[in-house]
Amino acid sequence: HEEAEVPREARLLRDAQGKLIFIGDCAPLSFFQTTRQLVTTRVDPNAFAPETSRYSILENPSSSGFPKASGPSDGPPAVKAVAVEAAVAAYFAMTTGLVDLFDKAHLAGDITSWADQAHERPSSEVTVSAIYYLVLAIGLQKTDEEVAQSYFDHARNQALADLSGNLGVGTVQAFILITLYMLGACQINGAFLFFGIAVRAAYSVGLHRTEVNARFGAEMHRQRDSLWKSLRVVDLFLSTSMGRPPATSDVDCTVSYRGTDEDGEEPFDLLNASGQIFIIIEAIVLEVYSRRKISLQLTEGISRELRDWSTRWLQRLKDVISAGSPSDEGLLNGACQVLATYYYAVILVSRPFLMYELHRRLSDGYPSASFGRSGLVSGKSKLADACIDAASLMIDPIQDLITRGQMSRRAPLAVSWLFASSLVLGLGLLGGFGRIIEKYCGSSIAALEHFAQSDAHAMQYSLIAKSLLSTALQYLDKKETQERLRRTESSSQLFGLIPR
């Protein structure tokens, strides 16, 4: 039977404070634990260095994730109007393709006007102030972390204090922004909790129903629909990266993730492309990771959806990245992260077949002479190859933008998928799928090191990827040495090359 087991990989892992946190089957961290178990039992008991075994990569203990006490004399932090434009550009560089919350053309101007009127802000605009502080906090995360944190602390306290008032679109925006800031600060568990408030607020104001959104006029209709799609994308990223059930659902949703222009064609829309691929990932998690087995028949159904998405979006996204508009770093980073999500979807659906092949190839009875070679290619073997191909293809656009100096250093989505990709590549090299994979392993580590300049998770992930690469190379050298010795023993008898 052309089936592969889907192991139950869910685990309770300890965070930086030593508390147990649930990480589910499809999460990259669960995949790492499975990888480590396979490598340490089949290849080398000391394969991973001690620093790669800590579970503190769940949270960054140095960042403040929860409200600080504020004295009555604490006023709002000062905002310099001259710094707004750069911070807003950095905000879009991190969030494009993940969320679409504002009118890009007017956001910097609106925040500048707001900053200039520091002493004239009405108390009724508490949520608006919180939103603007959060946009600036996200934009300043990589350049001025201290100011970013002060903006974040103030805005989060304002948003929480205003929850007892009227809920609205602003409430949803504020708590999505809190989630995004915490993701950038490597506080993924805290982000997961605050995001729940955004979702409940969204349902409370009917964002999931496009007919309700349409009552507010054409512009507000578009904004409210985009806000719901943004929620879905962030939700499915959080749930997939942590292996937890999503907070949102399309069961009672009427918002469409596709648009058409006057000619009946689908216009270029990063948020729609992102929403569509995440909905496929949601189906993969439900149909594959909630079962104990995956069949080739089930895989074919999912692969049709992935091919359909690829036909509509793959070339368009690649064209955006290759065009490399220096004036729109947000568009480039967004396109790159949506592409990475597509490749991760392929990895997710084919990963059980890669693990099946690895268990077979790393077993004691597998002949050394056939290591790295295959005769007839089975359906399972093709899917294992597809997993490795998707991991290598993910690296290219990310490396391209890094080389050109256009890749943001804070990209939690790209970092999470890149980590899974680096594990797939290390396992592919270990399993004898080709020495060319070593080049891609090196590229994935270099990319993680780029993000590690601002991302504590990426630093930890790069150490893990290095350990796996080192183990794979040592294992292959040992295999090739044994094979060479076997051949030498056979050939030396011809001429007496080795004394008896």
Side-chain angles (χ1 to χ4, degrees):
H1 296 289
E2 291 294 302
E3 290 181 332
E5 296 286 334
V6 180
R8 293 293 187 200
E9 297 174 330
R11 286 173 171 81
L12 286 171
L13 303 183
R14 292 191 185 277
D15 67 7
Q17 287 76 38
K19 294 183 177 128
L20 289 168
I21 302 294
F22 176 79
I23 298 295
D25 301 296
C26 62
L29 273 176
S30 283
F31 182 38
F32 164 54
Q33 301 304 327
T34 303
T35 298
R36 192 173 64 157
Q37 187 176 15
L38 173 68
V39 173
T40 53
T41 54
R42 298 286 181 95
V43 178
D44 179 2
N46 306 308
F48 291 95
E51 65 268 20
T52 65
S53 301
R54 295 197 310 254
Y55 299 146
S56 60
I57 47 181
L58 284 167
E59 295 282 307
N60 178 5
S62 65
S63 294
S64 169
F66 296 95
K68 293 176 177 176
S70 299
S73 60
D74 290 351
V79 176
K80 293 178 183 173
V82 291
V84 167
E85 197 168 333
V88 169
Y91 161 82
F92 281 117
M94 178 187 158
T95 62
T96 303
L98 200 54
V99 296
D100 178 7
L101 308 182
F102 308 105
D103 182 340
K104 195 169 184 178
H106 298 120
L107 183 60
D110 291 346
I111 295 180
T112 302
S113 301
W114 165 83
D116 286 335
Q117 298 165 359
H119 303 294
E120 303 164 24
R121 294 174 198 154
S123 58
S124 60
E125 291 192 4
V126 170
T127 304
V128 173
S129 287
I131 287 166
Y132 288 165
Y133 272 120
L134 286 163
V135 168
L136 296 174
I138 292 166
L140 291 169
Q141 255 181 319
K142 71 174 181 180
T143 54
D144 196 336
E145 203 163 350
E146 190 176 339
V147 170
Q149 189 68 42
S150 72
Y151 287 176
F152 173 73
D153 289 335
H154 175 74
R156 182 205 47 229
N157 291 347
Q158 278 190 308
L160 286 168
D162 200 42
L163 270 180
S164 56
N166 291 324
L167 293 179
V169 165
T171 312
V172 182
Q173 288 173 322
F175 281 94
I176 290 181
L177 291 168
I178 288 171
T179 301
L180 294 175
Y181 181 90
M182 296 185 80
L183 281 175
C186 297
Q187 292 280 345
I188 192 166
N189 211 49
F192 188 82
L193 296 176
F194 276 108
F195 183 72
I197 300 175
V199 171
R200 291 300 166 201
Y203 276 122
S204 297
V205 298
L207 289 181
H208 59 300
R209 302 296 288 268
T210 195
E211 65 274 19
V212 172
N213 297 338
R215 289 182 175 186
F216 295 88
E219 183 51 40
M220 188 54 77
H221 182 194
R222 190 207 70 80
Q223 186 185 10
R224 286 170 67 100
D225 277 5
S226 291
L227 191 47
W228 174 257
K229 288 186 274 190
S230 300
L231 272 168
R232 282 289 279 154
V233 168
V234 174
D235 184 28
L236 291 172
F237 165 63
L238 283 170
S239 66
T240 308
S241 60
M242 299 194 80
R244 298 174 185 175
T248 58
S249 164
D250 283 334
V251 170
D252 190 38
C253 167
T254 56
V255 175
S256 173
Y257 300 91
R258 287 199 188 183
T260 50
D261 58 22
E262 303 82 35
D263 303 322
E265 298 293 320
E266 186 166 15
F268 184 82
D269 185 318
L270 269 184
L271 188 64
N272 278 348
S274 191
Q276 289 168 26
I277 193 62
F278 268 112
I279 286 166
I280 296 173
I281 285 179
E282 183 180 36
I284 292 169
V285 172
L286 288 172
E287 293 178 28
V288 176
Y289 287 85
S290 63
R291 303 181 183 200
R292 290 194 177 272
K293 286 184 179 177
I294 177 172
S295 65
L296 292 182
Q297 187 179 2
L298 176 59
T299 307
E300 179 52 35
I302 295 168
S303 69
R304 270 197 302 273
E305 291 183 48
L306 287 166
R307 286 197 299 272
D308 183 39
W309 186 94
S310 172
T311 302
R312 290 197 310 277
W313 294 108
L314 189 61
Q315 194 55 53
R316 296 164 90 177
L317 292 169
K318 286 187 169 187
D319 289 345
V320 167
I321 294 168
S322 59
S325 168
S327 61
D328 200 341
E329 200 174 286
L331 180 65
L332 292 173
N333 279 265
C336 188
Q337 294 201 77
V338 175
L339 257 186
T341 303
Y342 160 68
Y343 291 126
Y344 185 65
V346 177
I347 287 171
L348 266 185
V349 76
S350 53
R351 198 171 84 191
F353 296 97
L354 174 66
M355 299 311 286
Y356 169 85
E357 274 293 308
L358 283 163
H359 277 93
R360 189 173 71 87
R361 293 183 182 210
L362 297 177
S363 61
D364 292 336
Y366 193 75
S368 177
S370 63
F371 200 76
R373 300 183 209 136
S374 59
L376 291 171
V377 179
S378 69
K380 287 181 181 177
S381 182
K382 279 183 189 174
L383 283 158
D385 282 326
C387 191
I388 293 163
D389 291 339
S392 5
L393 287 165
M394 186 193 294
I395 311 295
D396 292 333
I398 295 173
Q399 195 64 54
D400 186 20
L401 289 187
I402 290 172
T403 304
R404 281 153 41 185
Q406 293 176 309
M407 188 79 208
S408 170
R409 284 189 186 139
R410 285 195 190 269
L413 185 147
V415 166
S416 195
W417 302 163
L418 196 55
F419 176 45
S421 173
S422 69
L423 294 175
V424 166
L425 291 167
L427 288 172
L429 185 63
L430 189 68
F433 284 85
R435 289 298 283 248
I436 186 68
I437 296 173
E438 183 184 347
K439 181 185 86 167
Y440 291 102
C441 288
S443 296
S444 71
I445 291 165
L448 286 167
E449 286 175 338
H450 164 82
F451 294 116
Q453 295 171 72
S454 302
D455 189 317
H457 288 173
M459 173 60 76
Q460 191 77 0
Y461 296 159
S462 69
L463 293 174
I464 291 168
K466 281 179 184 173
S467 284
L468 183 55
L469 174 59
S470 171
T471 300
L473 291 174
Q474 288 172 22
Y475 179 72
L476 290 181
D477 285 347
K478 181 180 166 187
K479 276 274 184 189
E480 287 174 6
T481 302
Q482 288 172 345
E483 174 64 10
R484 189 68 251 160
L485 280 172
R486 189 185 66 76
R487 287 168 176 264
T488 301
E489 283 174 12
S490 175
S491 64
S492 64
Q493 294 170 14
L494 287 172
F495 303 105
L497 291 172
I498 296 175
R500 296 196 172 206

